[in-house]
Amino acid sequence: MDYNMNQQAPKQPSNLNVMELVAVICSGVGLLMAVLGSTLYCSCSASARYETGSTGYTNSAVMIVAIFGVIIAVVGVVMAILSIKKEGKASKLASLAAIVGVFAILYGIIPTITICGYNCSLQSAAEDAAKNALGGLF
């Protein structure tokens, strides 16, 4: 009985689902773009408002980053849902992709619509109130 101890066992196929992996990558990239895009969008719109002296809400080219982040996150969530339907059960990777993707969608949409717009309108109202209170001093 001569057994070769140096012989390697045949490689087993990977249990990794490619669709789940792509869903996690899309959701992660979408989250990164949504966070950066909405953060820069809020700060750029506020700084542009002060530089130009306008009282309205100004749009920035950085908004495109937030929009693409939301779109990529939607793709990640859809791929995670398709992967869950294909497998018949929710794996941890597909669940992670869905959760991260939904968070990216919400973080990309809600601050852009509510917080940035509300902040600019609140600052505009405060400046108008200060001008009215001080009258013609300036």
Side-chain angles (χ1 to χ4, degrees):
M1 297 185 120
D2 187 22
Y3 291 106
N4 189 357
M5 300 302 271
N6 294 330
Q7 189 178 18
Q8 293 181 351
K11 293 191 176 196
Q12 298 294 326
S14 175
N15 291 337
L16 187 63
N17 188 350
V18 176
M19 188 177 285
E20 290 175 356
L21 186 62
V22 172
V24 168
I25 291 171
C26 285
S27 295
V29 169
L31 177 64
L32 180 67
M33 290 177 71
V35 167
L36 288 176
S38 62
T39 302
L40 293 174
Y41 179 54
C42 289
S43 65
C44 288
S45 63
S47 65
R49 189 169 114 7
Y50 287 115
E51 289 171 4
T52 61
S54 67
T55 57
Y57 185 62
T58 58
N59 287 328
S60 171
V62 181
M63 186 173 92
I64 295 171
V65 176
I67 291 171
F68 279 138
V70 169
I71 291 170
I72 292 172
V74 167
V75 170
V77 169
V78 168
M79 290 185 75
I81 291 171
L82 290 176
S83 174
I84 290 171
K85 287 193 180 261
K86 179 182 172 186
E87 295 292 320
K89 60 181 174 146
S91 69
K92 290 180 182 178
L93 203 58
S95 300
L96 176 72
I99 291 169
V100 170
V102 168
F103 179 74
I105 293 166
L106 293 176
Y107 194 88
I109 292 173
I110 291 174
T112 303
I113 293 174
T114 59
I115 297 170
C116 296
Y118 182 71
N119 185 25
C120 290
S121 65
L122 187 63
Q123 290 287 55
S124 175
E127 288 175 1
D128 290 342
K131 284 179 186 176
N132 290 338
L134 295 175
L137 291 176
F138 291 104

